[in-house]
Amino acid sequence: MNVLIVYAHPDPNSLNAALKHYAIQRLQTAGHAVQVSDLYAMEWNAKLAASEIPKLENHRADILREQEKLLWADTVIFQFPLWWFSMPAIMKGWVERVYTLGFGYGVGEHSDVRWGDRYGEGTLTGKRAMLMVTAGGWESHYSPRGINGAVDELLFPIHHGILYYPGMEVLPPFMVYRTGHMDDARYAAICEELGQRLDTLATTPPIPFRRQNHGDYDIPVMTLKSEIAPGVEGFKAHLHQPPSLL
Ligand code: FAD
């Protein structure tokens, strides 16, 4: 399998750097081909230029290289420290520039029964994606009643709006909480857990997001049909399974 790791951390001696190194070795040892987009090391230009919205002919070489890597990959891992409840700005800028019109969005035709190719359909259909995230906060702070908000809800805009939108199946995230409390034993346990997730990338069931063109939504208003998950609102409503699984 071909695995692309899109990685954002500025410090080559960080916990994230160590986990990236571990992940590459684990994947390669298992026989997978790995490419890494190390955004800080690449000095990735995170600023979308006026000329890049939304003209296909103005795509720069750096954008095309990243799009080729995405097309090459069977699985894409986005690895980052949680900064202000989301991905670092440099990675958001990668998404904004690489997901061009006709590639990341604006794919497919609209009709009375179809709203283009997105949310499970699109350029990246057939690929899998997984977030690999470190957070300073405790796991309980991100639990369903935790002060920071439930982690699945915080990550919904990335999972659903960035990964599922252009067609990728989204695996449950690999999370490392309470990073300030790290010692060698905990680090080794985290690597083991990460290794299990990497070994099962191809078989882990994805988050069961609904597909937009398969009967659950009224087109073109794109709201859930009244008979689908009645009474359920917000992020949970866009999952097939009962909302308790979110
Ligand atoms: P590091 O700081 O590099 O390391 C963490 C610990 O792991 C250290 O004790 C280090 O010694 C140890 N370590 C490193 N490498 C190894 C190794 N190989 N073996 C054993 N131990 C090792 N947190 C939240 O929960 N929510 C937020 O919204 C949030 N926003 C933030 C915003 C900013 C701008 C910043 C800077 C931090 C924020 N944080 C937040 C905290 C942040 O998520 C964590 O600091 C980050 O995830 C830790 O990852 P790191 O790679 O930077 O770890």
Side-chain angles (χ1 to χ4, degrees):
M1 161 163 89
N2 294 340
V3 182
L4 171 64
I5 301 176
V6 183
Y7 171 79
H9 198 294
D11 182 355
N13 296 313
S14 63
L15 174 64
N16 267 275
L19 292 174
K20 168 174 62 83
H21 182 68
Y22 177 85
I24 293 169
Q25 288 209 320
R26 182 87 175 209
L27 289 164
Q28 288 178 335
T29 302
H32 304 304
V34 182
Q35 289 196 71
V36 181
S37 287
D38 183 341
L39 301 184
Y40 280 96
M42 291 158 62
E43 299 186 352
W44 175 258
N45 169 18
K47 284 187 276 185
L48 181 69
S51 62
E52 292 170 349
I53 323 171
K55 300 191 185 90
L56 290 167
E57 66 272 21
N58 284 340
H59 291 173
R60 307 231 166 95
D62 58 350
I63 294 177
L64 294 173
R65 270 197 298 275
E66 297 308 299
Q67 290 181 343
E68 279 168 20
K69 289 182 201 169
L70 279 171
L71 294 173
W72 167 87
D74 301 301
T75 297
V76 187
I77 295 172
F78 290 78
Q79 188 196 343
F80 57 90
L82 195 69
W83 283 357
W84 291 110
F85 299 97
S86 191
M87 53 175 58
I90 197 169
M91 186 177 276
K92 181 70 169 13
W94 182 94
V95 176
E96 289 171 12
R97 293 190 63 232
V98 173
Y99 275 26
T100 52
L101 173 65
F103 185 91
Y105 70 103
V107 178
E109 301 295 322
H110 293 324
S111 72
D112 290 346
V113 292
R114 195 169 184 80
W115 189 261
D117 294 339
R118 56 174 201 169
Y119 292 123
E121 295 158 323
T123 304
L124 304 181
T125 301
K127 301 175 188 297
R128 307 190 127 210
M130 184 178 85
L131 300 184
M132 190 171 148
V133 183
T134 62
W138 298 21
E139 186 166 4
S140 60
H141 303 179
Y142 291 97
S143 64
R145 285 166 60 83
I147 181 74
N148 288 346
V151 69
D152 291 340
E153 297 200 354
L154 291 174
L155 295 180
F156 182 92
I158 301 175
H159 281 154
H160 192 257
I162 293 178
L163 306 181
Y164 192 58
Y165 191 102
M168 289 190 275
E169 296 288 358
V170 186
L171 306 187
F174 178 76
M175 299 293 306
V176 178
Y177 295 102
R178 209 178 176 187
T179 51
H181 274 243
M182 194 63 61
D183 56 26
D184 289 349
R186 183 168 179 230
Y187 178 76
I190 287 168
C191 286
E192 188 47 42
E193 195 188 334
L194 173 60
Q196 298 294 329
R197 290 298 310 273
L198 296 174
D199 290 348
T200 52
L201 283 174
T203 53
T204 300
I207 300 170
F209 291 128
R210 297 180 189 281
R211 292 176 164 230
Q212 71 163 5
N213 292 319
H214 292 244
D216 287 352
Y217 297 90
D218 278 322
I219 299 173
V221 289
M222 302 313 299
T223 52
L224 278 169
K225 290 180 173 166
S226 55
E227 67 271 25
I228 303 288
V232 183
E233 297 180 346
F235 297 151
K236 297 179 179 74
H238 304 290
L239 292 173
H240 274 298
Q241 254 89 11
S244 58
L245 289 187
L246 182 65

